[in-house]
């Protein structure tokens, strides 16, 4: 199924790709530090998991600070979309209420749905 690329999707995709880029950069830096011996290796065969976990821990606060503007921009688009959806649902509910009230005022029994 094809999902049309709306402005909201593009903003979220941009933010997600930037977060992945920050993580990839941290992963390369941590791997280089472990490989050079400046940071201790994991125990046994856990070296790969150690490098990934350390890169995740380091990239999270970096992303939080560096990508603040992108995150805010993406969240504004999401909030706008949610508000549009809420307005549409409220309009549909109001339309149903008006139809139900009109039917009751004419003496018709409400139809079960």
């Amino acid at each position: 199924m094809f999902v049309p690329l709306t402005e909201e999707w593009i903003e979220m995709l941009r933010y997600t790709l930037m977060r992945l880029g920050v993580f990839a950069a941290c992963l390369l830096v941590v791997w280089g530090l472990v490989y050079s011996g400046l940071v201790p290796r994991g125990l046994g065969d856990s070296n790969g998991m150690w490098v990934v976990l350390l890169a995740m821990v380091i990239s999270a606060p970096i992303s939080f600070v560096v990508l603040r503007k992108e995150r805010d921009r993406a969240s504004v688009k999401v909030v706008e979309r949610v508000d549009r959806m809420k307005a549409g649902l409220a309009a549909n509910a109001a339309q149903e209420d008006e139809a139900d009230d009109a039917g009751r005022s004419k003496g018709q029994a409400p139809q079960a749905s």
Side-chain angles (χ1 to χ4, degrees):
M1 185 170 118
F2 177 73
V3 177
L5 289 178
T6 61
E7 197 172 338
E8 295 91 6
W9 280 96
I10 292 171
E11 291 293 332
M12 288 305 296
L13 181 63
R14 178 184 300 146
Y15 175 67
T16 301
L17 291 175
M18 287 179 157
R19 289 234 16 212
L20 285 173
V22 169
F23 171 73
C26 288
L27 185 65
L28 287 173
V29 168
V30 169
W31 178 80
L33 291 173
V34 169
Y35 185 76
S36 67
L38 296 173
V39 176
R41 295 180 183 269
L43 298 174
D45 292 334
S46 68
N47 189 43
M49 185 171 44
W50 161 252
V51 170
V52 170
L53 286 174
L54 190 57
M56 286 172 56
V57 168
I58 292 171
S59 70
I62 292 173
S63 295
F64 185 74
V65 173
V66 173
L67 300 179
R68 177 168 293 174
K69 288 181 183 178
E70 289 298 323
R71 184 178 59 250
D72 291 344
R73 187 180 309 150
S75 68
V76 164
K77 297 296 180 186
V78 170
V79 167
E80 288 173 357
R81 183 177 178 142
V82 168
D83 288 344
R84 283 195 315 265
M85 292 177 79
K86 283 182 180 179
L89 288 172
N92 288 341
Q95 188 177 17
E96 288 178 12
D97 290 344
E98 289 172 7
D100 188 42
D101 291 343
R104 288 177 192 256
S105 68
K106 291 182 179 180
Q108 298 174 350
Q111 296 178 357
S113 37

